[in-house]
Amino acid sequence: MKKNILIVGAGITGLSAGLNLIRNGFNVTLIDRVDVGNENQTSYGNAGLLAASSIIPLSSPGLLRNLPFYLLSKSSPLFLKYSYLPKLLPWAIPFLRNSSKSNFAYIIKNLHQLTYDTVEQHLALSKSTEASN
Ligand SMILES: Cc1cc2nc3c(=O)[nH]c(=O)nc-3n(C[C@H](O)[C@H](O)[C@H](O)COP(=O)(O)OP(=O)(O)OC[C@H]3O[C@@H](n4cnc5c(N)ncnc54)[C@H](O)[C@@H]3O)c2cc1C
């Protein structure tokens, strides 16, 4: 008997998982608070890049050392609203911790595992659908 799977969220993640599960013999129900293609979904407005190369984290070695320069220089692209700092810190501390050489290398290696075959995955996903062109 086919197993039933419920997926919450019908963006590209939920749709891809659902389609792959159906192709592997499962019954799938997708639920969402909006219709597929709604502009409130992140998937609605992305740039459509099959971004296999997007594996270099912004939090990179040297970031912490250069941070004072970025914060003080008027020509730096970094702007910080200091009153926002208490809200930002719980996110910023782990973000900056990831700029160590070992964490940086670990993230790149693992993101590569997720993205290296993006073209093949998209071709397989869209096969026999209206998106195949
Ligand atoms: C401007 C922009 C450009 C981008 N460009 C690219 C690009 O070129 N290439 C690329 O690979 N990525 C790009 N991205 C990233 C990519 O779009 C997202 O990673 C991807 O769309 C995320 O898909 P998702 O299915 O995880 O999320 P979503 O598309 O947001 O889907 C999540 C769904 O879950 C639903 N949901 C959440 N909570 C509940 C709940 N409690 N009950 C019911 N439903 C719920 C939401 O309504 C939503 O429909 C871009 C993102 C942005 C914002």
Side-chain angles (χ1 to χ4, degrees), residues 7-131:
I7 297 177
V8 181
I12 188 66
T13 306
L15 286 175
S16 305
L19 195 52
N20 280 318
L21 284 163
I22 289 169
R23 287 173 177 170
N24 283 287
F26 294 89
N27 286 324
V28 173
T29 304
L30 262 175
I31 61 166
D32 204 304
R33 54 190 170 201
V34 299
D35 289 332
V36 173
N38 184 286
E39 61 185 26
N40 288 319
Q41 294 181 301
T42 318
S43 303
Y44 171 85
N46 82 63
L49 297 173
L50 304 185
S53 57
S54 297
I55 56 173
I56 312 294
L58 288 174
S59 184
S60 55
L63 178 64
L64 207 52
R65 196 178 57 240
N66 292 323
L67 206 54
F69 167 76
Y70 289 145
L71 286 173
L72 296 172
S73 164
K74 281 195 176 140
S75 60
S76 148
L78 183 64
F79 168 78
L80 181 62
K81 209 172 174 180
Y82 288 95
S83 60
Y84 190 68
L85 206 55
K87 233 177 171 178
L88 185 69
L89 277 178
W91 175 87
I93 290 169
F95 175 79
L96 289 170
R97 214 176 263 147
N98 279 332
S99 70
S100 72
K101 267 188 189 160
S102 58
N103 282 355
F104 184 69
Y106 175 84
I107 292 170
I108 291 175
K109 186 175 153 216
N110 287 284
L111 278 181
H112 173 69
Q113 291 298 317
L114 286 172
T115 61
Y116 76 95
D117 60 349
T118 176
V119 174
E120 292 78 8
Q121 290 289 345
H122 277 79
L123 286 172
L125 188 68
S126 62
K127 203 172 177 184
S128 312
T129 74
E130 286 177 21

